[in-house]
């Protein structure tokens, strides 16, 4: 009588079943690894996705390779609420500049709104660009607006969730001044980050930054001076007068700004009409002042070839 084959067939069945189960487990593990990798890849792609075009973002010219150790500069352009077209124009000018190794934030600064249309149009600007500072003051030029600007900055920007100082330098600029941000940053690199006063020395023939003051076209101070302006009684008790001259007198009376830098003749007035304060346009320019009309702006922008990075495209033809 032949021995029964059922036990051996059962063993083969069990072995086959175990092999099949092991194969399924291995396949599931591989798929799980692939899924996790794809999930991580998708999550990484989403985290690096650009913001939508209609998202709110302040006008910050932050270089792609910048770091927390780079120079941080706040430029406050003092202007008027109704200067909508000028602000949009200047956003083109500064939004297309990308200085290397620096964070440069450009803000438009004016006093309280007084008209109903301003409350709508300026609010829309803020929603879209987030580059406006509205000071708690009545609009003026030489009666404390500059003081309100500088003295408000520590309260606005000092915060536990920001680096300190939030900006190494603060600049007050005019809306008829063209600033070349890369040259500005380059000139600041070797300078102290404390007790600094920087700009175009007045009177125009002078080259000594310790005698008088810096022109209102655009002067810059270190953050500690902005904090001093907020805390000291000297500026509070002397508000009236030409704002740039009064600013220099604050520093003189308070024995501040032991570090001073005269940026003449990299800062100057537009060459026409010629005066003792003008200079021809030249490559080492940091700032050109008194660009009072479109013709002067276009001449200056063409000289510095600001559209050189325009990419070719089938969408337009600009000869």
């Amino acid at each position: 009588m032949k021995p029964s084959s059922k036990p051996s067939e059962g063993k083969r069945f069990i072995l086959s079943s175990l092999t099949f189960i092991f194969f399924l487990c291995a396949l599931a593990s591989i798929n799980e690894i692939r899924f996790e990798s794809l999930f991580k890849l998708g999550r990484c792609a989403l985290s690096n996705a650009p913001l939508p075009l209609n998202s709110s973002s302040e006008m910050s010219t932050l270089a792609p390779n910048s770091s927390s150790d780079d120079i941080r500069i706040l430029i406050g352009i003092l202007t008027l609420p109704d200067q909508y077209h000028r602000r949009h124009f200047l956003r083109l000018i500064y939004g297309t500049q990308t200085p290397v190794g620096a964070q440069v934030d450009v803000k438009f600064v004016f006093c309280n709104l007084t008209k109903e249309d301003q409350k709508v149009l300026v609010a829309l600007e803020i929603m879209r660009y987030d580059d406006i500072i509205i000071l708690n003051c009545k609009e003026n030029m030489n009666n404390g607006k500059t003081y309100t600007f500088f003295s408000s900055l520590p309260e606005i920007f000092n915060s536990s969730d920001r680096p300190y100082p939030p900006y190494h330098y603060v600049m007050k600029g005019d809306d008829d001044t063209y600033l070349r941000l890369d040259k500005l940053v380059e000139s600041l690199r070797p300078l102290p980050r404390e007790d600094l006063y920087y700009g175009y020395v007045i009177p125009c023939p002078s080259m000594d930054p310790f005698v008088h003051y810096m022109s209102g076209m655009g002067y810059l101070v270190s953050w500690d001076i902005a904090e001093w302006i907020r805390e000291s009684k000297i500026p509070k008790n002397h508000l009236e007068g030409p704002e740039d001259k009064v600013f220099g007198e604050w520093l003189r009376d308070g024995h501040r700004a032991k570090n001073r830098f005269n940026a003449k003749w990299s800062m100057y007035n537009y060459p026409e009409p010629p005066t003792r304060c003008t200079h021809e346009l030249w490559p080492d320019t940091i700032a050109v002042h008194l660009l009072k009309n479109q013709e002067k702006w276009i001449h200056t922008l063409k000289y510095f070839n600001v559209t050189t990075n325009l990419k070719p495209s089938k969408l337009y033809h600009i000869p």
Side-chain angles (χ1 to χ4, degrees):
M1 185 174 65
K2 294 182 179 179
S4 175
S5 63
K6 288 183 178 181
S8 59
E9 290 177 357
K11 291 179 181 179
R12 285 198 298 271
F13 175 77
I14 293 172
L15 183 60
S16 299
S17 299
L18 290 174
T19 302
F20 182 69
I21 292 171
F22 176 78
F23 173 76
L24 289 178
C25 290
L27 183 62
S29 299
I30 293 172
N31 287 335
E32 183 178 0
I33 292 171
R34 288 177 177 173
F35 176 78
E36 179 67 19
S37 298
L38 289 172
F39 176 76
K40 290 180 178 179
L41 180 61
R43 184 170 57 187
C44 178
L46 288 173
S47 67
N48 290 320
L51 293 173
L53 288 177
N54 63 349
S55 65
S56 173
S57 60
E58 68 180 80
M59 185 165 62
S60 172
T61 56
L62 179 62
N65 59 343
S66 62
S67 71
S68 60
D69 294 330
D70 292 333
I71 299 175
R72 297 186 295 276
I73 307 169
L74 173 66
I75 299 175
I77 299 176
L78 271 60
T79 183
L80 299 172
D82 288 333
Q83 294 282 0
Y84 303 107
H85 295 297
R86 177 57 59 90
R87 288 195 292 277
H88 292 320
F89 176 71
L90 291 176
R91 287 184 180 109
L92 293 178
I93 299 302
Y94 296 119
T96 52
Q97 298 188 51
T98 53
V100 177
Q103 176 187 338
V104 183
D105 292 343
V106 179
K107 301 285 189 181
F108 299 101
V109 183
F110 41 82
C111 293
N112 289 322
L113 307 180
T114 58
K115 303 176 184 177
E116 289 303 313
D117 62 328
Q118 293 173 353
K119 296 175 184 178
V120 175
L121 297 176
V122 172
L124 288 172
E125 283 186 87
I126 294 172
M127 293 168 63
R128 176 61 183 90
Y129 301 106
D130 193 22
D131 61 358
I132 287 174
I133 297 175
I134 301 178
L135 304 172
N136 186 20
C137 58
K138 184 178 180 181
E139 197 59 60
N140 68 90
M141 179 182 294
N142 294 317
N143 194 25
K145 182 177 180 179
T146 297
Y147 167 75
T148 305
F149 168 58
F150 280 98
S151 64
S152 299
L153 295 178
E155 182 180 0
I156 294 173
F157 291 107
N158 278 345
S159 174
S160 59
D161 60 355
R162 298 173 69 111
Y164 182 84
Y167 296 99
H168 298 110
Y169 305 110
V170 181
M171 186 174 211
K172 174 265 167 187
D174 287 347
D175 62 6
D176 63 347
T177 297
Y178 170 54
L179 292 167
R180 300 180 70 211
L181 302 183
D182 54 347
K183 292 294 183 181
L184 174 64
V185 170
E186 181 181 330
S187 70
L188 288 171
R189 289 195 192 284
L191 300 184
R193 295 186 179 183
E194 292 184 353
D195 210 23
L196 177 71
Y197 184 31
Y198 169 112
Y200 175 100
V201 173
I202 295 293
C204 296
S206 174
M207 298 298 287
D208 186 348
F210 289 92
V211 175
H212 294 287
Y213 59 95
M214 306 295 185
S215 165
M217 72 166 75
Y219 53 84
L220 174 147
V221 295
S222 51
W223 185 259
D224 59 302
I225 290 183
E227 292 185 324
W228 173 80
I229 292 172
R230 178 177 178 81
E231 297 165 0
S232 173
K233 293 182 180 180
I234 292 174
K236 292 178 184 177
N237 295 330
H238 182 18
L239 299 179
E240 295 186 8
E243 60 89 16
D244 48 3
K245 182 174 184 288
V246 168
F247 192 95
E249 291 170 351
W250 296 343
L251 301 181
R252 180 199 65 199
D253 296 344
H255 306 286
R256 302 303 303 242
K258 293 180 176 61
N259 301 307
R260 301 194 179 198
F261 183 81
N262 177 21
K264 195 183 291 180
W265 289 96
S266 289
M267 301 176 75
Y268 50 86
N269 287 348
Y270 185 80
E272 297 293 337
T275 69
R276 300 180 79 181
C277 300
T278 61
H279 192 280
E280 293 300 315
L281 301 176
W282 68 306
D284 285 339
T285 296
I286 294 172
V288 183
H289 185 221
L290 294 182
L291 300 177
K292 296 294 187 181
N293 56 48
Q294 191 82 342
E295 181 182 358
K296 291 181 178 180
W297 271 103
I298 296 304
H299 176 226
T300 301
L301 297 174
K302 286 182 68 175
Y303 175 86
F304 293 110
N305 199 17
V306 298
T307 60
T308 187
N309 292 326
L310 180 68
K311 297 179 180 179
S313 172
K314 296 180 180 178
L315 295 174
Y316 47 76
H317 173 67
I318 301 179

